[in-house]
Amino acid sequence: MQYSQQLNNFKYLISIAKKIHTLLDKNNNLSHRYELAHQLFNRLIGQCESIIKLLPLAENFSTTETNSYYDLASIASLARNFAETYEMYYYLILDNIDDKERELRNSLLRLHMKSEMLEIYKTLGYNTNENELEYCKQERNKLREEIKNNYLQLSASQVSEKFKIYSFIEKSNDEFYRELKNKKGRCLNSKVITEAIIKNLLGDEPITNYIDDLEENTTLNIEILLKRFDGLKTYFSNHTHTSTLSLSEILYETEIGDDSRHFYSLSIRHTMFYLGVAICDIVELFKGYNIDMNNQDMNFVVKNMLQYILDLQVISRKLG
């Protein structure tokens, strides 16, 4: 598929997301979980619009001119961050856990935030009042105790293997805070979340319901796909940072150009995949709030997601 068509598909998918967001805006008095889902969905749309403004041949909304520069680093950063935003969306909103476990996850993230704030105060030498620092430490310690108590109550009532992801809470403070920092406050890594996304996407319906011209025995290998997504995370990270790879590709785009616009097509499709998943999730989550989608839009969303992971599995095939 040509880059210009990918760009049009991206714009169309964003328009679908905006329609849903407009419907969400009409709902008042949402619970914390639903309000957070609304906020994160809104952030995803905003990130998409930021990417659009940087893409070649996309209309620059402020000047009505088309872009001619090559800001690969910003596009890669946004594409990578988009996936991370969805992962947080899944982690806090969509994962099949009860409210008490969801609150434990929220508390761990808040504790991670307070720990990071204290480290920033110390390392950057902010002119912070000693009383404020002491208050922040007390709040952090209080939250740490609450988390330990909540974990003990939950672990006593749940014996599933899944609950072992929180076992580091029982460790000494030094070990706990070190692991909390490494995990960035989260207890599920990207691989676990990506696997859940793919399994939820496949569901019970055959792929042939959405993709034409497929062989009847076409299947998706989840292990291969997990490696592909991990590789993409590394790929976009290399472009986000000033690496040899990123400098080389920027030079290539500037001096030679790539008629297939492979980097831009890949960035678009990677972002569209996660936006499509978020659209399906938000429609399912808010199904009691009259958030309806017509069949044409829904088929477009699902078809794009499935085609992307099919192309990822056959890595020799161009994604552009």
Side-chain angles (χ1 to χ4, degrees):
M1 187 181 291
Q2 294 295 319
Y3 168 72
S4 58
Q5 184 58 54
Q6 295 288 6
L7 187 59
N8 287 334
N9 285 349
F10 190 27
K11 289 178 179 178
Y12 182 49
L13 191 65
I14 294 171
S15 72
I16 293 173
K18 283 184 172 181
K19 282 191 289 186
I20 295 170
H21 185 264
T22 300
L23 293 171
L24 291 175
D25 278 340
K26 295 178 180 178
N27 290 289
N28 298 317
N29 301 318
L30 296 174
S31 67
H32 175 71
R33 180 188 176 194
Y34 285 81
E35 181 61 35
L36 184 57
H38 187 188
Q39 291 172 3
L40 286 171
F41 190 67
N42 184 45
R43 176 169 177 169
L44 290 172
I45 295 172
Q47 288 174 318
C48 285
E49 293 190 322
S50 294
I51 292 173
I52 280 282
K53 293 175 183 178
L54 295 169
L55 291 168
L57 305 182
E59 185 178 291
N60 187 313
F61 297 148
S62 61
T63 65
T64 69
E65 295 178 356
T66 55
N67 300 332
S68 58
Y69 50 85
Y70 302 93
D71 193 359
L72 275 67
S74 294
I75 294 170
S77 179
L78 285 166
R80 188 181 186 282
N81 188 255
F82 193 93
E84 290 184 349
T85 301
Y86 177 81
E87 287 173 6
M88 186 64 77
Y89 176 72
Y90 176 90
Y91 181 69
L92 289 178
I93 307 298
L94 301 167
D95 198 11
N96 187 25
I97 56 177
D98 60 28
D99 289 341
K100 287 186 178 180
E101 189 174 346
R102 204 176 307 281
E103 181 53 39
L104 179 62
R105 290 186 179 185
N106 271 299
S107 296
L108 284 166
L109 285 166
R110 283 166 47 217
L111 181 56
H112 175 64
M113 177 187 71
K114 288 187 178 296
S115 298
E116 292 286 277
M117 286 170 59
L118 279 170
E119 188 171 331
I120 289 169
Y121 289 154
K122 292 175 183 176
T123 55
L124 294 185
Y126 277 5
N127 186 22
T128 306
N129 186 296
E130 284 296 324
N131 290 333
E132 290 179 4
L133 279 177
E134 185 58 34
Y135 176 75
C136 191
K137 288 178 185 176
Q138 290 176 3
E139 287 292 295
R140 184 192 62 173
N141 295 340
K142 180 181 177 182
L143 190 52
R144 165 73 168 128
E145 289 304 312
E146 288 178 4
I147 287 170
K148 281 198 283 189
N149 292 332
N150 290 342
Y151 167 73
L152 290 172
Q153 291 176 17
L154 284 169
S155 58
S157 61
Q158 299 188 39
V159 291
S160 67
E161 285 292 313
K162 189 180 82 167
F163 208 71
K164 289 183 178 179
I165 61 175
Y166 306 104
S167 60
F168 73 101
I169 293 174
E170 295 179 292
K171 294 182 178 181
S172 66
N173 276 353
D174 287 345
E175 290 180 292
F176 167 77
Y177 282 115
R178 186 160 50 246
E179 196 161 339
L180 184 72
K181 183 174 184 177
N182 290 337
K183 293 175 180 291
K184 297 180 181 178
R186 260 179 22 191
C187 297
L188 292 183
N189 61 32
S190 297
K191 182 178 179 180
V192 173
I193 294 175
T194 303
E195 184 174 2
I197 292 169
I198 295 170
K199 286 181 176 178
N200 289 340
L201 172 60
L202 296 179
D204 299 323
E205 289 191 72
I207 302 173
T208 48
N209 283 11
Y210 294 96
I211 308 294
D212 299 327
D213 303 323
L214 282 181
E215 297 178 8
E216 289 186 12
N217 61 348
T218 299
T219 57
L220 287 166
N221 186 314
I222 291 179
E223 283 304 312
I224 288 177
L225 287 171
L226 291 177
K227 290 179 181 178
R228 300 287 190 260
F229 275 94
D230 190 49
L232 284 165
K233 189 172 185 178
T234 302
Y235 178 73
F236 287 122
S237 292
N238 268 276
H239 283 78
T240 299
H241 307 297
T242 308
S243 67
T244 306
L245 173 62
S246 68
L247 291 174
S248 173
E249 292 216 359
I250 290 171
L251 180 64
Y252 182 82
E253 288 288 346
T254 306
E255 299 296 329
I256 301 173
D258 178 3
D259 290 339
S260 71
R261 299 190 182 273
H262 177 70
F263 170 83
Y264 302 107
S265 290
L266 181 57
S267 300
I268 287 173
R269 297 191 69 189
H270 193 66
T271 304
M272 284 179 67
F273 174 79
Y274 283 101
L275 180 59
V277 176
I279 287 172
C280 292
D281 289 335
I282 206 87
V283 169
E284 176 64 22
L285 183 66
F286 283 83
K287 60 185 177 183
Y289 291 82
N290 298 317
I291 308 297
D292 295 322
M293 279 182 66
N294 61 55
N295 289 335
Q296 180 181 342
D297 284 350
M298 183 57 81
N299 285 338
F300 175 82
V301 171
V302 177
K303 182 176 179 178
N304 271 279
M305 291 188 293
L306 287 172
Q307 189 64 64
Y308 180 58
I309 58 177
L310 278 167
D311 288 349
L312 277 183
Q313 184 164 280
V314 187
I315 200 67
S316 60
R317 183 175 175 181
K318 271 283 188 179
L319 289 170

